[in-house]
Amino acid sequence: DVKVTQSSRYLVKRTGEKVFLECVQDMDHENMFWYRQDPGLGLRLIYFSYDVKMKEKGDIPEGYSVSREKKERFSLILESASTNQTSMYLCASGGDSNQPQHFGDGTRLSIL
Amino acid sequence: EDKVVQSPLSLVVHEGDTVTLNCSYEVTNFRSLLWYKQEKKAPTFLFMLTSSGIEKKSGRLSSILDKKELFSILNITATQTGDSAVYLCAALTGANSKLTFGKGITLSVRP
């Protein structure tokens, strides 16, 4: 079974802090993704990576950056957290276009 | 801009009912249509549909894709309370397997 592990289920941070969300997958997938999920808006893609050190912007990249130094790990960084970044963050990984993405359990992030 | 629309947004049924969930899409470089079920935590994968007209089944759930009319349906027969969840539809596009999601359908199954 594919396992996608996110480092925290719940996280509370303060406005202006730098926040790191970590994601690790164990299936040697090339592609990894970060989404945020908000009521009424569904899942929206923030960034994705199709190889080590490669990244592409998704639909809502503003205020975020990412890092992929190793194939199995994909980090989402909030450079200076703001209250409108309070959300559920979901990481996913997938192989080629014939395979579905598999999701981690999510991190519920609150910015105070 | 890629767009996926699901309907209805929410649905309340009684155990034993049959439900049909709808998903339409307008995307470029379409590859596949995926359905996920989300309860409290991670979305879990249900179906991946790439070809038109071929029904995929898993127990009481089934799904089909119409690439001409750009939509898919997810059917659940003999619903149970454990089917209560948010059902997500997503279009897979492009070479890097990007997913565009609909807003989800909240299904509540009452005993």
Side-chain angles (χ1 to χ4, degrees):
Chain A
D1 267 3
V2 176
K3 191 148 179 71
V4 180
T5 303
Q6 294 185 229
S7 52
S8 307
R9 287 296 316 279
Y10 301 94
L11 207 51
V12 180
K13 296 290 181 181
R14 297 215 169 267
T15 304
E17 280 193 71
K18 191 168 186 175
V19 181
F20 293 85
L21 302 183
E22 306 286 346
C23 175
V24 177
Q25 51 98 359
D26 67 356
M27 284 301 292
D28 202 37
H29 284 156
E30 291 84 12
N31 301 319
M32 295 187 75
F33 306 82
W34 275 107
Y35 298 88
R36 63 178 282 178
Q37 186 175 29
D38 301 288
L41 296 177
L43 272 83
R44 293 178 293 165
L45 181 64
I46 304 171
Y47 265 98
F48 65 102
S49 168
Y50 52 89
D51 203 350
V52 174
K53 297 195 187 294
M54 306 302 286
K55 61 185 179 185
E56 281 205 31
K57 292 180 181 179
D59 300 316
I60 51 163
E62 297 78 18
Y64 303 94
S65 62
V66 290
S67 171
R68 189 139 180 231
E69 296 296 319
K70 293 185 178 182
K71 192 173 186 180
E72 67 270 19
R73 186 179 297 268
F74 191 34
S75 303
L76 179 70
I77 303 154
L78 285 65
E79 298 290 343
S80 176
S82 63
T83 54
N84 64 10
Q85 292 177 309
T86 291
S87 187
M88 168 70 90
Y89 289 87
L90 289 161
C91 174
S93 76
D96 60 30
S97 58
N98 295 319
Q99 298 175 359
Q101 290 180 22
H102 295 273
F103 285 83
D105 283 343
T107 297
R108 190 165 288 284
L109 175 65
S110 297
I111 307 295
L112 304 179
Chain B
E1 185 187 329
D2 292 345
K3 196 162 102 170
V4 175
V5 177
Q6 293 186 249
S7 64
L9 288 183
S10 65
L11 198 51
V12 180
V13 300
H14 287 98
E15 271 192 315
D17 287 350
T18 293
V19 297
T20 298
L21 310 181
N22 302 297
C23 175
S24 64
Y25 61 93
E26 286 180 42
V27 300
T28 53
N29 201 8
F30 174 82
R31 290 182 174 269
S32 301
L33 194 290
L34 286 82
W35 285 95
Y36 289 85
K37 177 183 181 183
Q38 186 177 26
E39 296 173 88
K40 299 288 185 190
K41 298 191 284 188
T44 52
F45 170 70
L46 294 175
F47 297 110
M48 185 172 187
L49 304 153
T50 305
S51 302
S52 259
I54 298 173
E55 185 182 52
K56 292 210 171 180
K57 282 182 76 92
S58 176
R60 296 177 293 103
L61 277 66
S62 64
S63 185
I64 198 161
L65 173 68
D66 184 329
K67 288 169 77 171
K68 185 177 173 190
E69 300 297 328
L70 308 182
F71 78 90
S72 173
I73 59 171
L74 174 68
N75 278 320
I76 309 174
T77 58
T79 51
Q80 302 170 357
T81 54
D83 295 325
S84 295
V86 176
Y87 290 84
L88 300 167
C89 163
L92 185 74
T93 61
N96 294 323
S97 306
K98 184 184 166 193
L99 280 178
T100 299
F101 282 86
K103 292 182 180 178
I105 297 171
T106 301
L107 174 65
S108 299
V109 181
R110 301 276 163 84

